[in-house]
Amino acid sequence: MKTMLTLLIAIGLSLALTAQEKINKSIDIETLDFIPAQFMGPGYNLNAQDGDLLENYLSNYINYPEEAIECRAQGIEVVKFTVDEKGKVGNIKIVNSVCPDIDEEIIQALYSTSGMWKPAVRDGSNGMCYPTVSLCFSLQKDNEATLKYFNEHAKTHFNKATACMFVDHKIKKAERLFDQVLTYKPNDSSTLYLRGICRYDRGNVEGALEDWNRYSNITGFTTPPEELALDAKEFKGVEAFANRNK
């Protein structure tokens, strides 16, 4: 069965030398005082020419797991990791998971790139870097069909989740439905904000902060979405969101 594996971003250039420093993809990295780690591919050596080979490498390395195909698991995986001063890959973390079998496939693929990276450079010295990659796993016939399928399913789950949250007050069920939204649209800021509230109100403070930090990183805002401004008395997470950086 022919399946689709699309790298949405070959290397999500939210790369950094520290956890706080970020690179805007629209900036010419040659004008910066540091250059992010660059994947050079198998056989990399110090004299190799720069190149963006990660997309081709991962596309060839990663297989759509049969178990995932059988259970019709589809969506967008987001993974972050480190590239150290020697070009070694480590600290791989699944930020957005489609299913465990796909998680494992991606983790193995990324670890296989260890030593194939030109380390990040700052002020003439090698440094740590924090790349992020996003990969789309789809069983649809083409990109257009995938986009339609993902958007429709994300919208359906979002509407069900907000009804559970605001009408039925079933926070646990709402959180599970927001999980499904993020499977198809991992960077949807409204969903991250609301799932964070669900997580906080259910006692998962660390998970809530992760969602809210991603929300702020994506939107650039530390305030909630205007259309989702809530009465602070209804959910404990609303006040916690407002006070998290104080």
Side-chain angles (χ1 to χ4, degrees), residues 19-193:
Q20 290 74 35
E21 295 172 321
K22 295 181 182 178
I23 297 178
N24 187 314
K25 284 191 288 186
S26 65
I27 297 176
D28 180 359
I29 61 174
E30 297 298 331
T31 67
L32 301 175
D33 63 351
F34 67 94
I35 299 176
Q38 299 170 69
F39 180 71
M40 307 305 293
Y44 161 67
N45 60 71
L46 293 177
N47 297 318
Q49 293 183 347
D50 292 351
D52 187 358
L53 307 175
L54 185 61
E55 179 172 355
N56 289 334
Y57 180 88
L58 293 182
S59 294
N60 290 327
Y61 190 101
I62 294 175
N63 294 311
Y64 209 134
E66 288 297 327
E67 296 84 354
I69 294 174
E70 290 175 4
C71 67
R72 305 290 296 177
Q74 303 177 77
I76 299 173
E77 291 257 346
V78 180
V79 189
K80 65 180 181 180
F81 55 101
T82 60
V83 177
D84 68 15
E85 298 87 343
K86 296 182 179 180
K88 302 295 184 181
V89 170
N91 301 317
I92 297 176
K93 180 178 180 180
I94 304 294
V95 176
N96 197 71
S97 174
V98 174
C99 78
D101 294 308
I102 291 177
D103 294 347
E104 185 60 31
E105 186 76 15
I106 294 174
I107 289 171
Q108 290 181 6
L110 287 174
Y111 272 127
S112 76
T113 70
S114 191
M116 300 180 187
W117 294 78
K118 178 184 290 186
V121 177
R122 181 171 193 174
D123 297 329
S125 299
N126 292 349
M128 291 288 290
C129 195
Y130 303 81
T132 299
V133 294
S134 298
L135 302 96
C136 175
F137 289 79
S138 172
L139 298 172
Q140 307 309 305
K141 62 180 181 180
D142 54 32
N143 287 333
E144 183 178 353
T146 295
L147 182 62
K148 180 180 179 181
Y149 181 91
F150 282 19
N151 284 340
E152 288 177 350
H153 279 68
K155 182 178 180 180
T156 296
H157 288 304
F158 185 84
N159 289 338
K160 290 180 179 179
T162 52
C164 282
M165 184 174 182
F166 300 122
V167 178
D168 301 329
H169 300 285
K170 296 179 178 179
I171 305 303
K172 183 177 181 179
K173 184 177 181 180
E175 182 181 336
R176 290 200 302 267
L177 287 165
F178 285 133
D179 290 344
Q180 292 299 311
V181 178
L182 293 169
T183 296
Y184 300 110
K185 301 185 71 174
N187 294 322
D188 186 80
S189 58
S190 295
T191 303
L192 288 168
Y193 170 71

Side-chain angles (χ1 to χ4, degrees), residues 186-194 208-228 241 244:
N187 294 322
D188 186 80
S189 58
S190 295
T191 303
L192 288 168
Y193 170 71
L194 291 176
L209 292 175
E210 287 181 356
D211 280 350
W212 292 337
N213 287 337
R214 286 183 63 201
Y215 165 85
S216 293
N217 288 338
I218 291 167
T219 65
F221 300 130
T222 57
T223 55
E226 184 176 348
E227 68 276 13
L228 296 175
F241 172 85
R244 72 190 191 284

Side-chain angles (χ1 to χ4, degrees), residues 242-246:
N243 295 328
R244 72 190 191 284
N245 293 321
K246 294 182 179 180

